[in-house]
Amino acid sequence: MKGLHYFLGVILIITANIGIIRGQTGLQVDFESGYPLPADGIDKGSSSILQSSAVGPLDDQTLEWRLPRDIMPEEYDLTITPILDEDVPGLGGPFTAPGEVTIALNVLKDTDKITLHLASTAFITLTSYEVIETETGTNLTVLSTTEDVLYQFKTFNMQAPLVNGTAYHIRMTFIAIITNGLDGLYRSAYVDPYTNTTKYIATTQMEALHARQMFPCFDEPAFKAKFFITIGRRTGNIALTTTQSLRNRTMAGFPGWQWEEFAPTGIKMPTYLLALIVSEFTYEEAPSNIFSKVVRTYAPAHYIDQDGGVYAAQKAAEILSFFESYYVEKYPLGKMDSAAVPSFFFGAMENYGLNIYRESALLYIPAESTETERYSITRILAHELGFATYVAQQGGDVVAPEFKASERWQNDAVQNSMQFDARSDYSHSVKIDDNAWITAGAMTWFDRMAYEKAGSLIRMMKGFLGEETLRNGLLKYLKDMQFQAAIQDDLFERLTEAAKNDSKLPRDLTMGDIMNTWTLQPGFPLLRVSVSDASGVLISQERFLNNEVQVEGHINQDTGLWHIPMAIATRSQPNPNGTVGSWLHNDVAMQYFLTNTSEWFVVNAGGNGFYRVLYDAPLTQLIQSELLTNHDFITSRTRSQLLDDYFNAAWQKHINIATALGLMEYLGNEREVVVWNTVLTNLRKPFNLLSSTGFWYTSLRFFLLPRLQSAVSLTGGVNNTALPDVNGGMPVIRNLQFLDWLCGFEDPECISYSTRLVTAWAANPSENPIRRDIKPVVYCAAVAGGGDTAFNFIHSQYILRNITVKQQGTLLNALACTKELPLIARLLEETLLDTGFYNQSAHVTVILSQLARNPLARAPLVNFLRESATTVESVAALGASNVITALATYTGTQIALDDIKAYIDEVTPAVPNFPVATRAAVTTIEQNIAWVADFAAPMSSFFEK
């Protein structure tokens, strides 16, 4: 069971003491990750001297995949030598890692078996072992060893029992493989632009169950231990791990090689938070006056030389300083490194002392990175350093307030996770059953429920407890549970104590009573509010579910009701702070509330509650009237959540789509990104599917474009000269978003502005006057409106050899925006030729997928595929299945589906797996056709009115 305190990873990287056991608790936070997402680790454990009582309720020996609790590791002394792309006679072959590990054992119960984890020989080979009584040095007899292949157990069967109270250690030598995968110990590579040579690196991803691939170990989070690490490496390389380097010494017998010894961890830690890198990286270090410990960003030299590590190093130091102050705990490790690797499955992974990131998630290049990228990097840094999604918002608000992270939370976390939590094929309880966690695949649970939903529930707790009460409960939890493993009830007990001290709980309820209704069952509530009489309303609750076709293997689970905190706002009491003053409890399905029903009434003021709300027609009309006359009287996050509730209720046919659209009429006066994000996210599918439908698209454009134009005018206009190229924050991102939609709707001013900018650039190609954030939109709009001239100029810049891969991609994508059929034909034809039109073969599949976004190019694109990609070679070369997948997003007619199905049938004899590769795309198109049938005409009717 994952635990609710999971989300408190932030605290655990700072204290590095509390044992949060992944797969053992309930509310987690997210990874971002990025957000992503995806997944980066969330578990935060560590402990000191582990007593048997510390395992407590986690000691469930009925689960076959759990290690016995008879023995616990105290210390690992690990020596390992990752060898990269060379053969070193006497040491090892290329991409191998010979090593030795000595594990000090604490015998809690007499036993004649030592069971630990060791992956298969595809990853690691055990070459020797011995078990020794530590005090006497006596070598004990191992009768035999056995393996459990399924659970990756290695058991050493002893002749005589190991006795409680006696110290032992087991020493093993091994050879690990530096695999070409993306977990355990694996290799990555990049081309050094200074020498044009390939540079290999060894790196790791231990979460969730991959440390056993690098060395034999007790690879469960509860089995924490101290680490002493020594890494062998080439003299020209660097080695990084959890702690700081102490000394180097020559590796006897191997000239050009040396041993690097690292400081002991000092604290106990789980194996999955161990990390290691061997590379030729260099680093940028944060100024020492920001944070008391050394904070560095590591990356290939050509990125560091462009100052690519400066921003991440400085912001990481600032974030750590804030967390240390806020949670009243000193950071326990000697340093904090962040490393950017070329190949990384997740956006990032938080490890002790060495966080590992994708390059794009960490490196900010001052001369070319955008504000969108800077926002993403800041957010991911805060998440990884805090081990949690919720605290990523906290850290982001402090170190980069210009991005308004707490506002964006409404879109990025609350509304995002609700989309998934409403699906019966996806939703599950936040707290996961232990056995389900391992049998369904540990990493599959690190999803929107574990991250965004869990983080949103934490924010909801903050909403009804208040920040100070929540913080007091967290600090008490940290103090009480230091050096122990923990479950979510441990957190709830401390929060209950803090809440009762501050009189923040209703009735005689505890935090466990309240939050178990949110963490132990899937889904979230839908509240319906209706006028009962002149003096009050009725509020009911039910589970919000998508109106979907049942997916095989998934059941629409019946759920209980929830304890629901309500922050009520009215015209006379607008409640701008979103203070919770009322509750709807889980023992009643409907309740009467006193209010003046002649004025608007909102239940979820501030949007902190993780639920949707629908109002009856009279109340909806009152809200709509307020939005039209004085929308700022209802806070921006409240407006955002209100619109998201209504759109999603309409898409699932709980209400008429016209009701949701009616709330949009005021948008010409709306400035806030959090609201526009909601609107444009919900209108992206209508735009995609209606853009090639003529009348329906025209009506959408007729309604939305004037409101966009008005909003743009209120926020500085299309050509907002007040926006800086760097450090502009959310206003820059808002401007990009508005321009993207304006130019997408072929707004004359936007097209003209873009054309003028590209024309000015063409007149002086060495000086690009276009702000970096809006380059993708401006290039595309200029090509769309500029005919051959703009197209040819953009292409001339694309084929230059002295531009970055990122710049190439932006220019290539713009070429696909052309509205000229001869140019579309040329883009298609050139994919079959070797004329140098495309810089590299990989760009062929990119341009075809980009053409799928262009309404005028879709029919020619399908015809081209039918004529040109019907053999195994051509299908692979053109990435035909990926193109079909891209087309599916924009296709909503039966005629187009028939053409695509015909193509699939034509290809199948040569490529038998093609129907499987394109099955999801066909399903998407079928769903799109149903969506068009349900919503296109009603939406068009509303827009026309």
Side-chain angles (χ1 to χ4, degrees):
M1 313 158 284
K2 261 181 202 161
L4 183 110
H5 70 285
Y6 227 151
F7 66 89
L8 291 176
V10 50
I11 307 159
L12 301 177
I13 189 57
I14 294 173
T15 64
N17 290 325
I18 295 183
I20 294 191
I21 307 302
R22 187 182 302 274
Q24 305 290 340
T25 45
L27 252 187
Q28 185 191 110
V29 195
D30 98 346
F31 49 66
E32 248 228 26
S33 121
Y35 206 91
L37 163 49
D40 43 53
I42 305 299
D43 205 310
K44 322 311 155 201
S46 84
S47 72
S48 185
I49 299 173
L50 182 59
Q51 305 297 325
S52 59
S53 61
V55 177
L58 306 178
D59 188 15
D60 186 354
Q61 294 299 288
T62 65
L63 302 174
E64 296 178 351
W65 52 271
R66 300 293 290 273
L67 287 173
R69 287 336 193 238
D70 300 338
I71 295 176
M72 291 287 183
E74 286 293 315
E75 295 178 352
Y76 289 87
D77 191 342
L78 174 64
T79 299
I80 190 167
T81 305
I83 302 170
L84 298 174
D85 55 329
E86 61 178 315
D87 188 6
V88 185
L91 187 59
F95 302 116
T96 63
E100 177 181 301
V101 64
T102 300
I103 310 175
L105 305 174
N106 179 12
V107 180
L108 303 178
K109 179 181 178 183
D110 292 1
T111 180
D112 61 359
K113 298 180 187 300
I114 303 172
T115 300
L116 45 69
H117 287 111
L118 186 69
S120 72
T121 54
F123 299 99
I124 186 171
T125 300
L126 193 65
T127 54
S128 72
Y129 54 84
E130 56 183 348
V131 179
I132 300 167
E133 184 180 324
T134 302
E135 184 175 347
T136 65
T138 303
N139 211 318
L140 305 180
T141 301
V142 180
L143 292 177
S144 63
T145 65
T146 55
E147 291 82 27
D148 186 315
V149 176
L150 178 62
Y151 298 128
Q152 299 180 326
F153 290 162
K154 180 76 172 181
T155 299
F156 300 86
N157 301 299
M158 308 301 299
Q159 183 180 60
L162 305 184
V163 179
N164 170 247
T166 302
Y168 303 90
H169 59 270
I170 181 170
R171 180 180 298 120
M172 295 163 281
T173 61
F174 57 88
I175 300 174
I177 304 299
I178 307 175
T179 72
N180 59 3
L182 291 171
D183 52 39
L185 176 64
Y186 71 94
R187 60 184 182 261
S188 184
Y190 61 95
V191 176
D192 183 346
Y194 299 145
T195 63
N196 200 31
T197 57
T198 299
K199 305 285 189 178
Y200 287 95
I201 68 174
T203 185
T204 57
Q205 168 59 33
M206 302 306 196
E207 188 191 36
L209 308 171
H210 303 300
R212 65 194 68 176
Q213 295 172 200
M214 189 176 84
F215 66 105
C217 57
F218 295 82
D219 199 15
E220 286 186 26
F223 289 75
K224 301 176 180 67
K226 295 180 181 179
F227 277 79
F228 299 79
I229 299 174
T230 301
I231 299 175
R233 59 171 176 80
R234 270 283 184 197
T235 303
N237 288 339
I238 66 161
L240 302 172
T241 188
T242 294
T243 56
Q244 65 272 29
S245 176
L246 291 179
R247 64 187 67 87
N248 296 314
R249 54 187 170 84
T250 300
M251 188 182 292
F254 298 98
W257 286 79
Q258 60 184 193
W259 296 110
E260 185 163 5
E261 297 178 29
F262 294 84
T265 57
I267 57 174
K268 288 193 169 186
M269 57 178 281
T271 51
Y272 83 92
L273 290 179
L274 180 67
L276 174 154
I277 289 178
V278 173
S279 68
E280 294 185 23
F281 285 179
T282 57
Y283 67 86
E284 187 70 47
E285 185 172 319
S288 59
N289 63 346
I290 299 177
F291 187 59
S292 59
K293 304 293 178 67
V294 173
V295 180
R296 291 174 175 173
T297 300
Y298 282 84
H302 60 281
Y303 290 125
I304 298 299
D305 290 346
Q306 298 176 73
D307 292 333
V310 173
Y311 182 81
Q314 180 170 325
K315 290 303 174 184
E318 291 175 6
I319 291 166
L320 286 171
S321 179
F322 164 69
F323 285 158
E324 196 175 70
S325 172
Y326 187 85
Y327 290 104
V328 199
E329 287 286 349
K330 289 293 184 182
Y331 178 76
L333 301 175
K335 54 89 177 179
M336 183 67 236
D337 294 332
S338 300
V341 300
S343 305
F344 195 68
F345 184 78
F346 303 115
M349 172 64 197
E350 61 273 40
N351 306 296
Y352 275 11
L354 173 57
N355 289 349
I356 300 176
Y357 299 75
R358 288 182 189 170
E359 291 176 343
S360 61
L362 182 67
L363 302 177
Y364 176 82
I365 310 298
E368 65 177 67
S369 295
T370 66
E371 286 298 273
T372 301
E373 291 163 337
R374 188 168 71 90
Y375 169 61
S376 177
I377 290 168
T378 307
R379 187 165 163 249
I380 294 170
L381 276 170
H383 172 89
E384 302 312 315
L385 294 167
F387 273 48
T389 299
Y390 172 74
V391 293
Q393 168 221 301
Q394 279 187 309
D397 272 341
V398 170
V399 305
E402 66 271 20
F403 287 121
K404 297 185 177 181
S406 57
E407 288 279 301
R408 284 292 301 264
W409 180 273
Q410 204 68 35
N411 310 130
D412 297 338
V414 177
Q415 293 165 10
N416 191 341
S417 57
M418 280 183 168
Q419 294 287 333
F420 291 90
D421 204 15
R423 288 169 43 185
S424 63
D425 64 330
Y426 190 99
S427 177
H428 58 78
S429 60
V430 172
K431 189 174 182 180
I432 303 301
D433 173 76
D434 273 352
N435 212 38
W437 180 80
I438 193 71
T439 56
M443 295 305 293
T444 62
W445 297 111
F446 302 150
D447 56 10
R448 302 297 182 189
M449 304 300 96
Y451 289 107
E452 282 89 348
K453 179 179 180 179
S456 298
L457 294 183
I458 298 164
R459 192 180 75 158
M460 184 175 73
M461 290 197 303
K462 175 186 171 184
F464 66 80
L465 290 177
E467 181 172 4
E468 195 59 30
T469 300
L470 177 64
R471 181 170 175 268
N472 289 339
L474 296 181
L475 296 180
K476 182 70 161 57
Y477 166 74
L478 291 172
K479 179 180 178 180
D480 290 352
M481 300 305 297
Q482 222 170 22
F483 309 119
Q484 300 183 55
I487 58 174
Q488 70 174 27
D489 288 346
D490 297 319
L491 172 64
F492 291 153
E493 287 175 13
R494 278 74 186 177
L495 290 177
T496 297
E497 181 180 342
K500 288 190 173 180
N501 288 340
D502 296 341
S503 301
K504 293 297 180 77
L505 292 180
R507 299 181 173 178
D508 295 321
L509 296 176
T510 67
M511 286 296 292
D513 294 333
I514 294 168
M515 294 310 299
N516 282 342
T517 67
W518 297 91
T519 64
L520 301 184
Q521 61 181 347
F524 59 88
L526 166 65
L527 273 59
R528 296 183 184 271
V529 185
S530 58
V531 174
S532 175
D533 53 45
S535 301
V537 296
L538 290 172
I539 305 179
S540 65
Q541 63 164 300
E542 64 197 69
R543 183 181 176 187
F544 184 93
L545 270 174
N546 285 355
N547 183 14
E548 59 194 5
V549 176
Q550 185 62 47
V551 178
E552 184 178 354
H554 297 274
I555 301 173
N556 285 342
Q557 301 148 295
D558 291 331
T559 59
L561 301 179
W562 289 262
H563 287 290
I564 301 173
M566 295 188 297
I568 292 174
T570 66
R571 186 66 180 81
S572 56
Q573 295 180 308
N575 193 7
N577 296 322
T579 302
V580 171
S582 302
W583 288 78
L584 187 63
H585 291 292
N586 71 339
D587 55 358
V588 292
M590 181 178 292
Q591 192 167 336
Y592 181 85
F593 287 85
L594 288 170
T595 187
N596 178 2
T597 56
S598 66
E599 60 181 31
W600 58 265
F601 177 95
V602 170
V603 167
N604 192 13
N608 289 321
F610 195 78
Y611 51 84
R612 297 200 184 281
V613 186
L614 292 178
Y615 303 88
D616 68 4
L619 292 173
T620 299
Q621 184 59 52
L622 289 169
I623 293 171
Q624 183 178 353
S625 297
E626 186 67 26
L627 292 175
L628 286 167
T629 56
N630 188 13
H631 68 280
D632 283 328
F633 212 63
I634 300 174
T635 65
S636 59
R637 284 189 356 206
T638 307
R639 300 195 300 272
S640 172
Q641 194 56 45
L642 179 71
L643 286 163
D644 197 61
D645 291 347
Y646 270 69
F647 270 117
N648 280 276
W651 301 142
Q652 304 310 323
K653 302 180 182 178
H654 294 293
I655 60 173
N656 192 302
I657 184 60
T659 305
L661 296 173
L663 295 176
M664 286 174 37
E665 293 193 45
Y666 85 100
L667 282 177
N669 296 318
E670 181 62 74
R671 301 166 179 256
E672 297 299 327
V673 172
V674 67
V675 179
W676 276 107
N677 280 342
T678 299
V679 171
L680 298 180
T681 296
N682 277 284
L683 291 182
R684 176 57 66 182
K685 185 169 186 173
F687 179 84
N688 289 343
L689 296 181
L690 303 182
S691 59
S692 56
T693 61
F695 174 74
W696 287 336
Y697 168 74
T698 301
S699 64
L700 172 63
R701 182 179 184 273
F702 178 80
F703 176 82
L704 190 57
L705 182 56
R707 288 164 174 80
L708 282 165
Q709 291 167 331
S710 176
V712 170
S713 178
L714 288 173
T715 55
V718 168
N719 180 17
N720 190 339
T721 56
L723 292 175
D725 212 20
V726 295
N727 297 326
M730 200 51 65
V732 172
I733 295 175
R734 176 180 60 192
N735 180 252
L736 166 65
Q737 184 179 56
F738 282 157
L739 289 182
D740 185 28
W741 277 81
L742 283 174
C743 287
F745 276 128
E746 300 176 278
D747 171 63
E749 184 182 3
C750 190
I751 299 295
S752 174
Y753 171 64
S754 300
T755 303
R756 290 197 309 273
L757 286 174
V758 170
T759 299
W761 182 25
N764 185 9
S766 63
E767 295 291 334
N768 189 333
I770 305 168
R771 285 189 293 109
R772 63 185 69 163
D773 275 83
I774 64 173
K775 283 177 179 177
V777 173
V778 168
Y779 293 174
C780 177
V783 169
D788 289 2
T789 302
F791 181 94
N792 290 333
F793 173 71
I794 293 295
H795 182 261
S796 73
Q797 297 303 298
Y798 157 73
I799 61 175
L800 293 175
R801 299 302 178 186
N802 62 343
I803 63 173
T804 66
V805 171
K806 176 184 172 183
Q807 291 167 339
Q808 282 187 10
T810 302
L811 292 161
L812 178 66
N813 292 345
L815 295 175
C817 299
T818 180
K819 302 296 185 183
E820 304 290 334
L821 291 177
L823 293 177
I824 292 172
R826 184 183 177 192
L827 289 171
L828 294 170
E829 292 163 3
E830 288 283 358
T831 62
L832 304 175
L833 305 175
D834 188 18
T835 63
F837 185 88
Y838 295 112
N839 279 344
Q840 52 182 285
S841 58
H843 287 182
V844 167
T845 59
V846 173
I847 197 68
L848 294 179
S849 294
Q850 286 297 312
L851 284 169
R853 303 178 62 185
N854 185 338
L856 294 178
R858 290 169 198 157
L861 177 58
V862 174
N863 291 335
F864 171 78
L865 290 177
R866 295 187 67 176
E867 294 171 0
S868 308
T870 55
T871 66
V872 175
E873 295 78 11
S874 61
V875 165
L878 297 175
S881 62
N882 291 332
V883 178
I884 296 299
T885 299
L887 278 166
T889 302
Y890 307 93
T891 302
T893 68
Q894 188 63 47
I895 293 174
L897 176 60
D898 291 342
D899 286 343
I900 289 173
K901 282 184 172 180
Y903 171 61
I904 294 171
D905 291 342
E906 291 161 7
V907 171
T908 299
V911 189
N913 70 336
F914 200 67
V916 175
T918 55
R919 182 179 300 154
V922 170
T923 300
T924 296
I925 297 172
E926 291 171 343
Q927 292 171 345
N928 289 345
I929 292 170
W931 185 95
V932 170
D934 287 335
F935 295 109
M939 290 180 73
S940 181
S941 295
F942 174 86
F943 295 145
E944 287 299 301
K945 292 178 183 177

